[in-house]
Amino acid sequence: MKNLHVNLLATLLILVSASICYYKVTELKLPLLPVQESELWTIEAKVTYKRTAGPSKVSMMLPKQVPGFVVLDENFVSGRYGLTLENDDLNRVAQWAIRRSQNDQTLYYRMQLIPGETPEFKDKNVVYPGEQEYPEIMRTALTALLEQVRNKSADTKSFTHELLQRLNAADSDENVKLLRKDAATSEAWVSRIISILQGARIPSRQVNLLILSDGARHSRLVPWLQVYSGERWVTFNPKTGESGFPSNAVLWKYGDKPLLDVSGGKSANVDFSIYKQSRGMTAVTQQRAGIINGPLMEFSLFNLPVQTQNVYRILIMMPVGVLLIVLLRNIVGLKTFGTFMPILIAMAFRETELAWGLALFCLLLALGLMIRFYLEYLRLLLVPRLAAVLIIVIILMTFVSLLSHKLGIDRGLSVALFPMVIIAMTIERMSLVWEEHGAGESLQQCAGSLFVASISYLLMTNEYLEHLMFVFPELLFMLLAFTLWLGRYTGYRISELWRFRSVIVKGN
Amino acid sequence: MLWKNLLNPSKRLRELGLLGMNQRNGDYILKYNQRKFYPLVDDKLRTKKLAQQAGIAVPALYAVIEAEYQVAQLTEILAPYSEFVIKPAHGSGGEGILIIKGRSKEGCRKLNGALLTKSEVDHHISNILSGMYSLGGQPDVALIEYRVDFDPVFEQVSYQGVPDIRTIVFQGIPVMSMLRLPTRMSDGKANLHQGAIGVGIDMASGRTTGGVWHHDLIDAHPDSGHTINHLEIPGWDNILLLSAGCRELVSLGYIGVDIVLDSKLGPLMLEINARPGLSIQLANKQGLLPRLEAVEKIKSIPSSPEERVKLAKSIYRQTQNSQAL
């Protein structure tokens, strides 16, 4: 087999590329399509307090993990404060400290979330509550209530549900009214329920939720109830008895410890503001990839600074265009000016979009050619002539931009980003072909170049392809493999079938 | 049969043994032509000097213009000659070649009778020097050489220019030849893509077998109407011998050798091409592949050009029996 080496190499490249892609899609769950959008929630907690003399210390409870969400990013804006983070079993505590501060202080904490599952906490052994001491009058009421509820329930979950139903019922009996007494705030209400549940020897705790609603500006944490069912913690709405989290709720902290604790300050306050953005999955993917910590993602293009990323978004599409050129030249046999000139023209179209790009290119080419023929009459030597053409192209471009600006066409301004060297070279080449082989051949090659440039522009700006190439840069190996194969394609070109048509149609 | 050919055109071409561009590049040029020897053929000055050393007949070199200042001395340099050819040393495809057939006070007369002023000739040479006709735009030199006084045998079938004989020489064995006849369209040049006619040649006898102009098969010259079939090329064996001898000259395995017939000097080698075109197959109505494969089957290629010419003829006879286009 004469192309064994190339075939082996190409197959290897394709295998490598395909398996990395497969791993990324199935294991890292990177999306294949760019259109998938994801909700991105940004929560900002603004801590304000007035300082008192001396050093200040601010502690705020932060979620350690948010069930139902993936934390993409978090940051602290805290100026000259020293910041430490502490973990306990269920929560994190951020501690800002400063020795001297002035007047009103503001600290920010910001976190970004997208819906998604993270592995659950492993709870420590749950401690079952022991015998509780209640005031005499309450004990009777409690015992009666618990007895009624126990009769109407089968397990912890239904017990809790039944209990909450009764406690919250509008037409409640005397016992319940007594138990409801002095529990006006939500927090007090939840801790009252917890103490009642302790009477039934059921472990329970307070959790604090932040309800995500787009555009909320002064959100507060809402206390919620969790009950241990023997296997896991079940969440209940303390006001209705419904089980489960409300949709779009973030579990901010466990337990009833205060959210904020300030020493050396007063009038401390936390304000949550929340907003939602829709983001392309690509952008979310990158941050997510960093959190998943796949070893392959260390080499993701997403790890580059955004500016460099944008350069690579363009660069990484060039091989796609180059492969197209290989196809069109070696398989089809299309004639173009230069080998990669059409690619460069296509890159220029990125700035202007296709229709405008073509129009401007043709306009500049036509004007340039006319002037180039005049220069021929002056008998200039090659290099100065090329330089003259380049200068004229820039003059023309300036003129076109100024004129279109006057006419109020903003598109004309983008012509300035057109690579003028390419236009100058194209003009020179075209005029040579014009003289040597006639106008027909010249226009044919020009049309060929613009045709290839248009197709490669459409390919190179294809959103889907761009997403694929950027998220799966290992596809470059696959492009390389195809190019290697095409490099050993020794069959006929389509243009040769046309060239030798006289012998094909002749028959035997 | 016809519809089958149309359904699978490449199979049909394969059956006919037609060499395509990709296969020529991939299987012959890349394999048999070492890159390092290319400068020997890409620089016509070097080719000419090598040929002169090896005793291969070439048109005499009158002068080499290497720098712009020499253009000013052109009048003195050209004084002794009334006929000459100006060509770029690194030109390709016949581009940049200026043939002057006579001179008058006003300037030089081109083949088609048009008069060029001195400054126009100067400008042409300046363009050559600045690399306008060379591959990749490298600075070039201009050669001024003897204008071949072509053998009158082709007078009826060539328009103004110099007809030449292009032979594909593979591993030193001439495998296919064609006679290239200039037309009005090709402006006296013998390059097919510029509009010259390619005429197939019977390798054994040196007689022409009918030609191709652009993509059409023709039997008569489009300008004179004179037949181009069954012309006998004088000194055919000498031409084959000269072509075969060029293999050692440039160490390339797959070349096209261009030879012109001068009425007094006989066959002269004009240039060697490391990437000869494929139209020769249409001119001969024969594919190159059967002949190239026959050469590849030969275990050891004889070192004497005479032996190789004999081999060339026997390969030609062998492959004649295979399908004609």
Side-chain angles (χ1 to χ4, degrees):
Chain A
M1 185 139 175
K2 67 177 181 178
N3 293 332
L4 186 66
H5 192 142
V6 168
N7 285 337
L8 278 179
L9 185 59
T11 314
L12 180 75
L13 285 171
I14 286 182
L15 281 179
V16 168
S17 161
S19 40
I20 299 177
C21 278
Y22 181 79
Y23 174 76
K24 279 184 165 181
V25 171
T26 57
E27 296 299 313
L28 303 184
K29 303 261 187 283
L30 297 190
L32 275 169
L33 290 165
V35 283
Q36 297 169 352
E37 295 247 315
S38 172
E39 292 179 336
L40 174 83
W41 291 97
T42 304
I43 302 170
E44 192 178 86
K46 181 173 149 194
V47 177
T48 47
Y49 72 96
K50 287 192 195 315
R51 63 151 197 141
T52 48
S56 317
K57 213 156 103 181
V58 180
S59 311
M60 186 169 80
M61 305 270 270
L62 299 178
K64 192 169 166 186
Q65 224 178 32
V66 187
F69 289 90
V70 175
V71 181
L72 285 185
D73 191 23
E74 57 176 349
N75 48 58
F76 299 84
V77 182
S78 48
R80 298 178 292 116
Y81 281 78
L83 174 71
T84 50
L85 279 172
E86 278 169 24
N87 271 314
D88 63 21
D89 293 337
L90 298 169
N91 297 303
R92 278 183 311 162
V93 181
Q95 218 165 62
W96 287 283
I98 194 163
R99 195 161 293 276
R100 258 176 239 108
S101 61
Q102 292 169 343
N103 306 332
D104 293 356
Q105 297 293 311
T106 312
L107 298 163
Y108 291 94
Y109 167 76
R110 196 177 289 132
M111 102 193 294
Q112 289 190 316
L113 298 170
I114 53 162
E117 272 312 318
T118 41
E120 270 182 54
F121 276 147
K122 283 234 188 309
D123 274 313
K124 302 193 301 186
N125 290 335
V126 179
V127 182
Y128 282 82
E131 195 74 37
Q132 296 294 310
E133 290 294 320
Y134 295 102
E136 182 58 39
I137 182 164
M138 272 185 83
R139 196 186 308 158
T140 328
L142 190 72
T143 319
L145 178 64
L146 291 181
E147 192 55 41
Q148 286 168 3
V149 172
R150 194 170 284 128
N151 284 336
K152 290 204 156 193
S153 65
D155 53 12
T156 316
K157 196 176 164 190
S158 54
F159 181 91
T160 316
H161 179 73
E162 182 64 27
L163 178 69
L164 289 172
Q165 290 267 303
R166 280 170 188 266
L167 284 173
N168 286 302
D171 53 339
S172 48
D173 57 25
E174 287 305 313
N175 287 341
V176 174
K177 276 185 183 146
L178 182 70
L179 289 172
R180 280 212 294 239
K181 221 173 151 186
D182 300 328
T185 66
S186 304
E187 283 83 3
W189 181 232
V190 172
S191 61
R192 177 64 52 84
I193 295 170
I194 289 172
S195 85
I196 294 172
L197 282 168
Q198 280 172 342
R201 305 283 179 82
I202 294 172
S204 56
R205 68 187 176 195
Q206 182 186 337
V207 292
N208 295 273
L209 302 188
L210 184 66
I211 309 293
L212 297 180
S213 72
D214 189 20
R217 291 175 60 86
H218 302 289
S219 284
R220 308 239 159 241
L221 294 184
V222 186
W224 223 253
L225 181 70
Q226 276 194 333
V227 174
Y228 193 72
S229 72
E231 291 138 24
R232 61 194 184 88
W233 289 94
V234 188
T235 313
F236 288 93
N237 182 336
K239 295 207 169 124
T240 63
E242 284 168 33
S243 64
F245 281 119
S247 58
N248 283 340
V250 165
L251 207 169
W252 194 270
K253 75 178 176 75
Y254 292 89
D256 49 5
K257 273 193 235 163
L259 177 66
L260 194 65
D261 177 40
V262 178
S263 66
K266 54 179 184 180
S267 323
N269 186 31
V270 188
D271 239 358
F272 288 99
S273 48
I274 298 157
Y275 60 95
K276 184 170 85 171
Q277 288 164 291
S278 271
R279 287 183 65 173
M281 265 311 261
T282 325
V284 173
T285 302
Q286 64 132 333
Q287 284 166 314
R288 182 165 160 178
I291 289 143
I292 296 167
N293 271 331
L296 271 174
M297 295 314 286
E298 296 285 314
F299 296 98
S300 166
L301 289 173
F302 288 114
N303 293 339
L304 295 173
V306 178
Q307 266 184 320
T308 322
Q309 273 189 35
N310 288 338
V311 173
Y312 271 94
R313 267 177 205 284
I314 299 171
L315 273 189
I316 210 158
M317 290 312 285
M318 281 186 81
V320 178
V322 171
L323 187 65
L324 177 80
I325 296 270
V326 174
L327 273 172
L328 288 178
R329 285 180 63 111
N330 270 39
I331 307 295
V332 179
L334 212 70
K335 280 185 195 170
T336 57
F337 292 125
T339 310
F340 293 123
M341 187 90 89
I343 293 282
L344 297 173
I345 298 174
M347 304 299 290
F349 286 166
R350 286 184 73 103
E351 307 294 341
T352 55
E353 288 181 9
L354 190 55
W356 271 97
L358 280 173
L360 290 169
F361 195 81
C362 290
L363 178 70
L364 284 174
L365 210 61
L367 290 172
L369 262 183
M370 277 159 50
I371 292 167
R372 167 66 180 72
F373 282 126
Y374 171 68
L375 288 180
E376 179 66 22
Y377 175 74
L378 299 180
R379 302 193 184 292
L380 302 179
L381 294 177
L382 180 76
V383 179
R385 188 176 60 217
L386 271 178
V389 171
L390 178 63
I391 294 168
I392 287 167
V393 165
I394 292 176
I395 293 173
L396 286 175
M397 275 168 41
T398 317
F399 187 69
V400 167
S401 288
L402 286 175
L403 190 72
S404 59
H405 183 61
K406 270 258 186 290
L407 294 175
I409 313 167
D410 279 342
R411 280 281 166 203
L413 297 174
S414 56
V415 76
L417 294 162
F418 245 62
M420 50 277 172
V421 176
I422 292 171
I423 294 189
M425 295 294 285
T426 310
I427 290 171
E428 177 66 18
R429 237 187 148 108
M430 194 166 168
S431 72
L432 271 189
V433 177
W434 193 296
E435 275 173 22
E436 300 271 334
H437 303 282
E441 173 78 18
S442 174
L443 289 175
Q444 199 187 325
Q445 284 194 23
C446 180
S449 299
L450 286 181
F451 173 70
V452 177
S454 307
I455 296 191
S456 48
Y457 165 79
L458 291 176
L459 262 188
M460 283 158 51
T461 52
N462 181 293
E463 197 192 343
Y464 182 58
L465 272 178
E466 196 178 301
H467 167 85
L468 272 187
M469 290 303 297
F470 196 75
V471 179
F472 305 99
E474 57 277 3
L475 287 175
L476 286 176
F477 290 128
M478 213 174 271
L479 292 183
L480 181 61
F482 289 133
T483 311
L484 292 181
W485 262 329
L486 288 175
R488 282 306 305 163
Y489 169 76
T490 54
Y492 299 106
R493 297 173 179 180
I494 291 173
S495 63
E496 277 169 346
L497 301 181
W498 177 249
R499 181 181 177 184
F500 297 128
R501 64 189 178 279
S502 53
V503 297
I504 293 171
V505 295
K506 229 172 58 178
N508 278 338
Chain B
M1 263 331 261
L2 187 70
W3 61 270
K4 264 191 182 167
N5 296 341
L6 290 176
L7 267 181
N8 195 346
S10 56
K11 185 170 168 246
R12 168 80 178 145
L13 293 181
R14 189 66 72 202
E15 277 167 13
L16 293 168
L18 239 89
L19 181 67
M21 184 73 83
N22 288 331
Q23 195 174 12
R24 181 201 72 173
N25 293 342
D27 289 346
Y28 292 97
I29 291 184
L30 277 174
K31 194 165 162 194
Y32 293 99
N33 289 357
Q34 277 192 64
R35 196 82 222 177
K36 61 175 174 179
F37 296 121
Y38 273 49
L40 303 184
V41 293
D42 285 345
D43 184 345
K44 294 192 178 72
L45 188 58
R46 287 181 74 175
T47 316
K48 195 183 275 287
K49 285 181 174 161
L50 281 172
Q52 281 169 342
Q53 282 162 18
I56 286 176
V58 289
L61 181 66
Y62 292 160
V64 181
I65 311 279
E66 287 168 319
E68 200 61 40
Y69 74 91
Q70 290 173 296
V71 178
Q73 309 161 1
L74 206 60
T75 320
E76 295 121 75
I77 293 171
L78 292 178
Y81 317 108
S82 64
E83 296 185 344
F84 50 86
V85 176
I86 300 172
K87 56 162 76 163
H90 285 95
S92 70
E95 275 165 29
I97 295 177
L98 186 63
I99 305 169
I100 302 297
K101 70 168 183 184
R103 302 222 288 171
S104 66
K105 258 201 180 132
E106 296 85 46
C108 300
R109 198 166 291 282
K110 284 210 295 186
L111 269 185
N112 60 10
L115 205 62
L116 286 180
T117 64
K118 186 188 171 302
S119 74
E120 279 171 323
V121 175
D122 289 356
H123 182 58
H124 185 78
I125 292 178
S126 292
N127 276 339
I128 291 177
L129 294 183
S130 58
M132 190 159 143
Y133 303 102
S134 72
L135 295 165
Q138 296 298 308
D140 204 352
V141 299
L143 307 185
I144 297 174
E145 61 179 33
Y146 168 73
R147 177 168 99 88
V148 173
D149 176 26
F150 67 91
D151 198 300
V153 68
F154 298 129
E155 201 148 25
Q156 299 285 326
V157 289
S158 61
Y159 181 85
Q160 288 179 342
V162 187
D164 70 7
I165 296 151
R166 154 70 59 92
T167 305
I168 304 284
V169 181
F170 181 45
Q171 309 256 67
I173 299 174
V175 288
M176 196 176 273
S177 296
M178 69 169 162
L179 175 66
R180 300 193 296 184
L181 302 171
T183 61
R184 183 199 302 269
M185 186 184 249
S186 76
D187 195 23
K189 286 165 192 161
N191 289 89
L192 296 205
H193 70 88
Q194 288 173 330
I197 304 170
V199 186
I201 299 175
D202 179 321
M203 298 291 284
S205 67
R207 283 178 178 274
T208 59
T209 59
V212 61
W213 189 40
H214 293 297
H215 294 290
D216 307 318
L217 304 176
I218 55 164
D219 295 316
H221 195 282
D223 297 326
S224 66
H226 200 279
T227 180
I228 52 173
N229 290 346
H230 309 296
L231 301 173
E232 184 166 353
I233 295 170
W236 176 242
D237 282 353
N238 275 340
I239 293 171
L240 283 184
L241 214 56
L242 195 62
S243 309
C246 286
R247 193 250 184 280
E248 278 77 19
L249 204 61
V250 292
S251 312
L252 295 171
Y254 186 86
I255 50 176
V257 178
D258 295 345
I259 285 169
V260 285
L261 283 178
D262 189 85
S263 56
K264 294 181 280 291
L265 304 169
L268 299 175
M269 193 270 285
L270 262 191
E271 64 173 86
I272 297 172
N273 203 310
R275 313 162 192 83
L278 302 169
S279 298
I280 194 169
Q281 302 176 102
L282 282 179
N284 278 280
K285 304 193 189 76
Q286 289 270 316
L288 268 166
L289 278 176
R291 304 188 192 183
L292 297 175
E293 281 158 8
V295 172
E296 283 183 308
K297 277 195 195 108
I298 298 172
K299 296 227 166 54
S300 67
I301 308 280
S303 60
S304 100
E306 286 82 2
E307 291 283 316
R308 296 204 298 251
V309 169
K310 255 184 221 161
L311 262 175
K313 289 184 175 178
S314 84
I315 285 171
Y316 176 69
R317 285 193 201 95
Q318 277 170 41
T319 53
Q320 265 311 282
N321 301 327
S322 65
Q323 269 185 319
L325 298 189

